[in-house]
């Protein structure tokens, strides 16, 4: 059966369906509705109270017109039935709705209705066209089948509109497919009974023609579970067959460099979290298998010391190590810190970043290939093809959320199965860790070094600026140092934000007795290094900066962080910025300068920052506000795409899927039981794709 065998699908419509990713009748059946209109509870317009209730109403568009000027310009479309009228109002997407809404059409509105004077109004209602043209432009009703229950509304696109593919036609075609095709069940029968899920074919009918919201919920949950279950099966299988069986370099017991660093050089006692993480790493590198471990810890928890321990273990066993950071300024910061700690032990630490002079780069490459560079610190320049290591045994990635799965794989390929340790100062909510980092074992440092005082955070208004400046002066007089962070480098016509360059001039004039420095991403590496060196040595007292200091910068004497236009920053970013303070014995403060106009979401973010300094709580709140893609930056993160499941709202389902995947593979590791034949046929090609995703052979 082909798409064109279905009545009403012309070649032009087939092309439009292909544009939406629909190539076969089975694809059509798996094209789920984006919403539903419950015609069982359609109200008469005359019965509406306009008190903010959410309702569905149907009728004929009596008029469609633009109104107002400038910012107040809007589109108004009046819907009328035999009992009254309600006005749909759009302030955004005017050109789209002006084209798609035509006077005389029958449509349904779904939204919140309010009364303004004599008028009932819906702002940006959901619209479902109940009549549309056929190929000849004649109106046909999608209600010809007499269906008056829960009506599916499907995603449309410009190609659908050009070929008159409506939700009604899609539903008609899909029901035809469901009548003529069979969809084989592949989830094990005991699992379906345990979870009380419908069979796949029944679930598809419940998705496209539900008789009740309960039916739809059960069917959708089944499909969410199905894709999460397949994903977790693949993760457990890949870890078992690829990662856990992958031979790793066996590293010896603690040797001179490691012992001297922890017993003689380090001036403080490790926290329990650091000791536990180092214990996990020791166990991994002595197991004979390749380590693949995620080290999570809040800002200031001491992950760098754990990383140093891992690299020294490699050095003591005759291996090189690499530490990859997302930005040059963070790489340089790591390089200086490691050199300060390790050069006295005779450890050769080298820095590899872009745009280094040829003579220096040639010397670096020779040092790395010859094995005289014990530890190489750098940016993604490290994974360039031209870089050759003599004997790479330990690869560490800092701020892992800035990199993707592919970069991790490329780094793994730089040596002969080097041990992999990835670190994140941005705590990853459990649902994301189970997917994005599902190929990794996890160590968490939850405690902070002793003596660290909680950072006091306050949201302040523009009217409070004189008080803020007086407080800064007091801290400076007491010997402290200050960060002031701006969201832009240069003036933007689109956004009325103060920028770092202008802010630098203002702050320099406001505090003439204290040297002020400016730091931003467009500076050369030499310029940035000079500024940071002067700030670290207290020659610069106030550092005006963009968010290049978001991660990694460590100046224990800095006790105040002022964030200008704090409402423009994400929660995790604000938490990272705050973490640049609180690293010494001084009481530290984070002052969030908020603009006059703030969205509800912005107020929520700033309130969360005042309430807690717990990075894991902040990460969960940030995930809820922004969603997985924005939280991580999907393109960079390599976040797996799920068609039906939502990592934000389906975390419990993800855990149920993982639990059942582990249980099934424990009882039948290769899915060889006859009753699992259907599952195996679906899973084998799925696993092949996931190997490509994780870059595993």
């Amino acid at each position: 059966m082909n798409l064109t065998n279905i009545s009403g699908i012309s070649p032009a419509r087939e092309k439009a369906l292909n544009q939406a990713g629909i190539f076969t009748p089975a694809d059509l059946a798996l094209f789920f509705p984006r919403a539903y209109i419950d015609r069982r509870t359609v109200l008469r317009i005359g019965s509406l109270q306009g008190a903010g209730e959410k309702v569905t109403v149907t009728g004929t568009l009596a008029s469609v017109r633009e109104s107002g000027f400038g910012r107040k310009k809007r589109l108004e479309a009046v819907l009328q039935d035999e009992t009254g009228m309600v006005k749909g109002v759009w302030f955004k997407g005017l050109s789209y709705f002006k084209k798609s809404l035509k006077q005389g059409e029958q449509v349904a509105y779904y939204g919140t209705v309010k009364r303004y004077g004599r008028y009932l109004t819906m702002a940006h209602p959901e619209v479902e066209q109940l009549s549309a043209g056929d190929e000849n432009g004649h109106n046909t009703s999608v209600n010809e089948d007499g269906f008056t229950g829960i009506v599916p509304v499907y995603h449309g696109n410009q190609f659908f509109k050009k070929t008159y593919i409506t939700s009604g036609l899609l539903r008609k075609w899909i029901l035809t497919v469901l009548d003529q095709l069979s969809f084989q069940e592949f989830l094990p029968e005991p699992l379906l009974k345990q979870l009380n899920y419908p069979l796949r074919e029944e679930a598809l009918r419940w998705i496209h023609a539900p008789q009740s919201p309960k039916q739809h919920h059960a069917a959708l949950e089944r499909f969410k579970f199905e894709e999460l279950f397949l994903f977790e099966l693949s993760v457990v299988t890949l870890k078992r067959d690829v990662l856990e069986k992958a031979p790793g370099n066996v590293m010896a017991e603690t040797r001179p460099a490691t012992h001297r660093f922890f017993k003689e050089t380090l001036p403080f006692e490790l926290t329990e979290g650091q000791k536990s993480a180092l214990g996990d790493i020791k166990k991994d590198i002595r197991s004979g298998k390749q380590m693949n471990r995620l080290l999570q810890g809040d800002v200031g928890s001491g992950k760098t010391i754990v990383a140093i321990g891992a690299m020294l273990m490699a050095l003591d066993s005759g291996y090189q190590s690499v530490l990859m950071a997302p930005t040059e300024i963070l790489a340089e910061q790591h390089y200086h810190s490691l050199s300060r700690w390790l050069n006295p032990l005779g450890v050769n630490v080298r820095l590899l970043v872009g745009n280094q002079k040829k003579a220096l780069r040639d010397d670096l490459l020779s040092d790395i290939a010859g094995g005289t560079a014990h530890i190489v610190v750098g940016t993604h320049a490290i994974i360039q093809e031209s870089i050759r290591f003599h004997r790479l045994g330990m690869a560490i990635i800092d701020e892992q959320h800035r990199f993707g799965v592919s970069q991790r794989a490329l780094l793994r390929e730089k040596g002969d199965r080097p041990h992999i340790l990835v670190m994140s100062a941005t705590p990853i909510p459990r649902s994301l860790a189970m997917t994005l980092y599902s190929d990794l074992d996890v160590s968490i440092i939850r405690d902070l070094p002793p003596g660290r005082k909680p950072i006091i955070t306050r949201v302040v208004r523009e009217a409070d600026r004189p008080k803020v400046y007086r407080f800064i002066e007091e801290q400076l007089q007491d010997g402290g140092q200050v960060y002031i962070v701006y969201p832009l480098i240069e003036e933007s016509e689109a956004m009325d934000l103060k920028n770092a360059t202008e802010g630098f001039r203002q702050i320099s004039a406001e505090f003439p007795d204290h040297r002020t420095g400016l730091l931003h991403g467009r500076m050369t590496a030499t310029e940035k290094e000079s500024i940071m060196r002067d700030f670290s040595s207290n020659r610069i007292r106030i550092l005006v900066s963009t968010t290049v200091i978001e991660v990694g910068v460590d100046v224990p004497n800095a006790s105040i962080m002022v964030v200008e236009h704090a409402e423009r920053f994400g929660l995790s970013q604000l938490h990272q910025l705050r973490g640049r303070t609180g690293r010494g014995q001084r009481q530290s403060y984070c002052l969030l300068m908020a603009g006059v106009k703030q969205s509800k979401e912005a107020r929520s973010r700033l309130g969360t920052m005042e309430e807690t300094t717990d990075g894991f709580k902040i990460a969960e709140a940030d995930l809820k506000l922004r969603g997985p893609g924005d939280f991580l930056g999907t393109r960079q993160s390599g976040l797996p795409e799920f068609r039906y499941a939502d990592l934000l709202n389906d975390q419990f389902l993800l855990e149920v899927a993982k639990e059942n995947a582990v249980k099934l593979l424990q009882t039948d590791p290769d899915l060889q039981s006859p009753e699992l034949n259907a599952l195996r046929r679906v899973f084998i090609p799925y696993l092949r794709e996931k190997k490509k995703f994780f870059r595993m052979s």
Side-chain angles (χ1 to χ4, degrees), residues 198-258:
L199 293 173
R200 200 161 198 264
E201 196 162 302
E202 185 179 33
L204 282 170
R205 196 167 289 278
W206 287 5
I207 286 289
H208 296 290
Q211 298 303 304
S212 68
K214 185 178 179 181
Q215 269 192 359
H216 168 259
H217 174 78
L220 183 59
E221 184 174 304
R222 181 243 141 83
F223 283 105
K224 288 180 176 183
F225 174 84
E226 175 183 298
E227 64 178 351
L228 292 173
F229 181 64
L230 285 172
F231 180 81
E232 291 299 339
L233 275 178
S234 72
V235 168
V236 176
T237 302
L238 287 171
K239 286 190 72 174
R240 181 194 69 198
D241 294 349
V242 180
L243 292 177
E244 293 181 2
K245 289 183 179 178
N249 301 307
V250 178
M251 295 183 180
E253 296 293 325
T254 300
R255 295 279 183 87
T258 312

Side-chain angles (χ1 to χ4, degrees), residues 103-361:
Q103 185 174 340
E105 282 187 333
Q106 296 176 40
V107 302
Y109 281 0
Y110 172 74
T112 302
V113 63
K114 294 184 179 180
R115 183 177 293 279
Y116 291 96
R118 294 182 296 120
Y119 298 101
L120 291 169
T121 303
M122 283 188 186
H124 289 269
E126 288 268 358
V127 180
E128 162 66 359
Q129 293 179 324
L130 303 182
S131 60
D134 61 16
E135 292 95 332
N136 299 313
H138 301 125
N139 280 344
T140 58
S141 171
V142 298
N143 273 331
E144 287 176 352
D145 58 2
F147 185 72
T148 56
I150 301 173
V151 182
V153 180
Y154 297 89
H155 279 288
N157 58 40
Q158 57 178 322
F159 304 102
F160 282 15
K161 290 181 173 65
K162 285 180 181 177
T163 54
Y164 301 104
I165 295 178
T166 63
S167 280
L169 278 175
L170 283 166
R171 178 178 176 275
K172 178 182 175 183
W173 296 339
I174 290 168
L175 292 180
T176 298
V177 170
L178 293 179
D179 286 339
Q180 296 184 14
L181 291 185
S182 61
F183 291 83
Q184 185 178 17
E185 181 58 68
F186 62 82
L187 290 181
E189 185 180 354
L191 188 58
L192 286 171
K193 288 182 177 178
Q194 172 195 326
L195 298 173
N196 197 28
Y197 286 155
L199 293 173
R200 200 161 198 264
E201 196 162 302
E202 185 179 33
L204 282 170
R205 196 167 289 278
W206 287 5
I207 286 289
H208 296 290
Q211 298 303 304
S212 68
K214 185 178 179 181
Q215 269 192 359
H216 168 259
H217 174 78
L220 183 59
E221 184 174 304
R222 181 243 141 83
F223 283 105
K224 288 180 176 183
F225 174 84
E226 175 183 298
E227 64 178 351
L228 292 173
F229 181 64
L230 285 172
F231 180 81
E232 291 299 339
L233 275 178
S234 72
V235 168
V236 176
T237 302
L238 287 171
K239 286 190 72 174
R240 181 194 69 198
D241 294 349
V242 180
L243 292 177
E244 293 181 2
K245 289 183 179 178
N249 301 307
V250 178
M251 295 183 180
E253 296 293 325
T254 300
R255 295 279 183 87
T258 312
H259 179 83
R260 285 183 60 196
F261 177 71
F262 286 109
K263 298 299 182 182
E264 300 173 19
T265 305
L266 201 63
F268 51 81
E269 184 74 18
L270 294 175
T271 65
E272 290 305 312
Q274 288 172 318
K275 291 176 182 177
S276 176
L278 283 167
D280 291 339
I281 293 168
K282 285 180 184 178
K283 183 180 178 182
D284 287 345
I285 65 176
R286 294 172 185 171
S287 68
K289 298 176 184 176
Q290 185 186 36
M291 176 175 75
N292 287 278
R293 184 165 292 278
L294 167 65
L295 176 62
Q296 284 202 80
D298 214 338
V299 287
S301 61
K303 296 181 299 300
T304 302
I305 297 299
V306 175
I308 289 175
M311 290 186 286
L312 289 178
M313 291 179 207
L315 176 63
D316 282 336
S317 294
Y319 291 98
Q320 293 170 291
S321 295
V322 62
L323 173 56
M324 188 167 75
T327 64
E328 286 193 10
I329 194 168
L330 181 52
E332 290 158 8
Q333 181 84 16
H334 278 313
Y335 168 70
H336 292 303
S337 296
L338 266 60
S339 297
R340 186 173 67 250
W341 286 112
L342 302 179
N343 283 354
L345 301 177
V347 179
N348 183 21
V349 183
R350 299 301 304 265
L351 176 67
L352 177 64
V353 292
N355 301 319
Q356 289 175 312
K357 292 183 179 179
K358 187 177 185 304
L360 175 58
R361 185 175 179 81

Side-chain angles (χ1 to χ4, degrees), residues 27 153 373 376 472 478:
D27 291 338
V153 180
V376 182
I472 289 174
D478 192 46

Side-chain angles (χ1 to χ4, degrees), residues 371-384:
T372 50
H374 301 133
I375 295 174
V376 182
V377 181
T379 58
H380 60 276
I382 286 172
I383 57 178
Q384 292 174 354

